[in-house]
Amino acid sequence: MSAVATSQAARLPAWSLFGAVLSGAGLPIYIYAPKYYADTYGISLTLLGAVLFGLRLFDVVQDPVLGWVSERLGKLRVWAVWVGGLVLAASMYGLFAVEPPISAVIWFGLMITGLFSAFSFMTINFYAEGVTKASSLTGGHTRLAAWRETGALLGVCAAAVAPSVLQPLVDAPFAIFAVSFCLFVLAALVWMTPEWTGGGTQEPTPIKAILEDSVARRLLILALINATPLAVSSTLFLFYVESRLGAPGWEGPLLVLFFLAAAASSPFWARLSDRIGPKRALLAAMALAIAAFACVLALGDGDVWLFAIICVLSGATIGADLTLLPAMFARRMAHVSPNGGQGFGLWSLVSKFTLAFAAAVLLPILQLAGFNSGTVDNPASALSTLTLLYALVPCILKLVAIGLLVATPLEE
């Protein structure tokens, strides 16, 4: 191996750690934050869902603007990312480690806004920088994505299990989690600093040019539909395990099992993609996901071990979603928008919108069905609604995604 290739390989773990920190601030917060604020401060699920959806409407404007800014930072990108990282850490600390000094729902909205604005900005720059990195890396976008997304999935595992592990050990598990997260943010910023080049030398690409590219547009639509099942299951996971399976205390281990399966499968999907193409590999993962979610419909109280097997199977499909689709989009951006900022601004918007959609639609439906978080006496109709939302909705969405993928020549 050449000295350059060796140096590149040595730096790839920095991308894994940075991806881990970002993912720790993303998906797990949608898993824990609504339930934490509902249980601790008595905020209704409908109100929390409305706040989250309102913030995502703000992202419709914010994320493309952040992409525009990213493409124009040049050598200042590294310092801008540092500022974003500090805002990310401060917002996480305020969300979980500070007693709201004002109305809890307003404080929740402010902290989530700061957290996800910083998350968006850092994610956009991270993936845009990846376009430049992959162009000089043996294995290109797929290899970089495997390192980056494996790190991201391990970060999700750590963030998902930490509160549950800390619960019996300390009085304020979420506060300890927030402080630990801040330390990891600093470590990731330091280790990643040498990797920031400021992007390519090409002129910034108008967002209109990206949306006019048929392949880029199809990939964005596919990402929106295909990511929504994960958003649905993530939003409802804690409620499902606690109330439908009747297994409080198993949430953390099952989440870790799910995301460890995703992380372990990521290299497999990358190799399968090299052999049969990303489109066929992604179709195989989608079919497996439908089979796994369909099995959930038959589960009931006490079926923890059967659900654990389903977590492994469905988690493995997430490894394909999070490895192959970003690599495909990054490869397209290398042709359409080499600086990457505007394109990944749209990608970030799509990713977050799915989580907002799930929170804004599913949580009010649950409340209307008579579901109450943290209780063991939910009516049977509410539990049936929870099961249908958790399992049937993802199956339908995956079927739509399969149809779109089959009809779209993405590999052109």
Side-chain angles (χ1 to χ4, degrees):
M1 181 181 289
S2 67
V4 172
T6 301
S7 175
Q8 290 171 341
R11 294 300 307 162
L12 286 174
W15 291 76
S16 291
L17 177 61
F18 203 87
V21 167
L22 286 179
S23 67
L27 190 60
I29 303 310
Y30 265 91
I31 295 174
Y32 280 115
K35 191 174 190 304
Y36 175 78
Y37 272 77
D39 292 350
T40 306
Y41 302 110
I43 305 175
S44 74
L45 295 178
T46 299
L47 184 55
L48 288 170
V51 170
L52 290 171
F53 188 73
L55 293 176
R56 295 296 73 81
L57 291 180
F58 173 64
D59 286 334
V60 171
V61 176
Q62 175 184 247
D63 284 7
V65 170
L66 292 178
W68 183 91
V69 171
S70 172
E71 289 194 337
R72 289 157 176 81
L73 286 172
K75 298 298 182 181
L76 294 176
R77 177 176 280 177
V78 59
W79 304 112
V81 170
W82 265 88
V83 172
L86 295 177
V87 172
L88 186 79
S91 299
M92 183 71 79
Y93 185 83
L95 185 66
F96 287 125
V98 175
E99 186 79 18
I102 55 178
S103 167
V105 69
I106 295 176
W107 183 254
F108 173 81
L110 291 174
M111 293 302 101
I112 285 287
T113 299
L115 193 149
F116 279 110
S117 294
F119 170 82
S120 290
F121 183 70
M122 295 174 72
T123 299
I124 290 167
N125 283 280
F126 184 50
Y127 279 82
E129 190 67 43
V131 175
T132 303
K133 176 76 171 181
S135 65
S136 60
L137 182 68
T138 303
H141 294 283
T142 302
R143 184 184 178 200
L144 177 61
W147 277 87
R148 183 179 58 207
E149 308 310 330
T150 298
L153 290 165
L154 291 174
V156 169
C157 291
V161 73
S164 298
V165 170
L166 292 170
Q167 189 86 39
L169 304 177
V170 296
D171 294 331
F174 282 95
I176 300 299
F177 164 74
V179 172
S180 302
F181 177 82
C182 292
L183 296 176
F184 276 103
V185 168
L186 292 176
L189 289 170
V190 170
W191 204 9
M192 189 67 184
T193 292
E195 291 294 293
W196 301 107
T197 64
T201 58
Q202 296 84 354
E203 288 295 318
T205 305
I207 196 169
K208 181 181 178 182
I210 298 171
L211 292 175
E212 287 178 345
D213 181 78
S214 61
V215 176
R217 188 171 62 249
R218 290 166 182 169
L219 283 168
L220 286 168
I221 295 171
L222 178 62
L224 175 65
I225 297 173
N226 192 55
T228 304
L230 176 60
V232 170
S233 59
S234 299
T235 301
L236 300 179
F237 189 92
L238 297 184
F239 302 115
Y240 181 84
V241 174
E242 179 183 68
S243 300
R244 187 66 187 95
L245 294 182
W250 279 91
E251 300 92 341
L254 289 170
L255 274 174
V256 171
L257 191 63
F258 176 84
F259 287 114
L260 277 179
S265 71
S266 185
F268 164 78
W269 293 114
R271 289 193 296 270
L272 185 63
S273 172
D274 290 338
R275 295 189 62 180
I276 67 174
K279 183 173 181 176
R280 291 186 181 89
L282 197 54
L283 283 171
M286 289 177 175
L288 178 59
I290 291 174
F293 277 114
C295 291
V296 174
L297 293 170
L299 301 185
D301 190 67
D303 291 331
V304 178
W305 291 108
L306 291 174
F307 185 68
I309 296 172
I310 293 172
C311 283
V312 172
L313 295 175
S314 59
T317 69
I318 299 304
D321 291 344
L322 299 184
T323 299
L324 301 183
L325 269 178
M328 294 159 69
F329 188 73
R331 187 178 295 113
R332 191 60 189 171
M333 286 300 98
H335 296 285
V336 178
S337 177
N339 281 325
Q342 293 276 51
F344 284 105
L346 294 171
W347 190 263
S348 175
L349 173 61
V350 164
S351 300
K352 290 195 299 182
F353 184 80
T354 61
L355 290 165
F357 167 81
V361 175
L362 302 180
L363 295 181
I365 290 175
L366 267 186
Q367 187 161 326
L368 286 173
F371 182 83
N372 291 302
S373 175
T375 65
V376 295
D377 57 351
N378 281 292
S381 59
L383 295 179
S384 296
T385 300
L386 175 59
T387 300
L388 290 175
L389 292 177
Y390 182 84
L392 184 59
V393 171
C395 285
I396 296 172
L397 290 168
K398 282 290 183 181
L399 284 172
V400 174
I402 286 177
L404 178 61
L405 183 56
V406 168
T408 305
L410 293 175
E411 293 170 295
E412 289 183 352

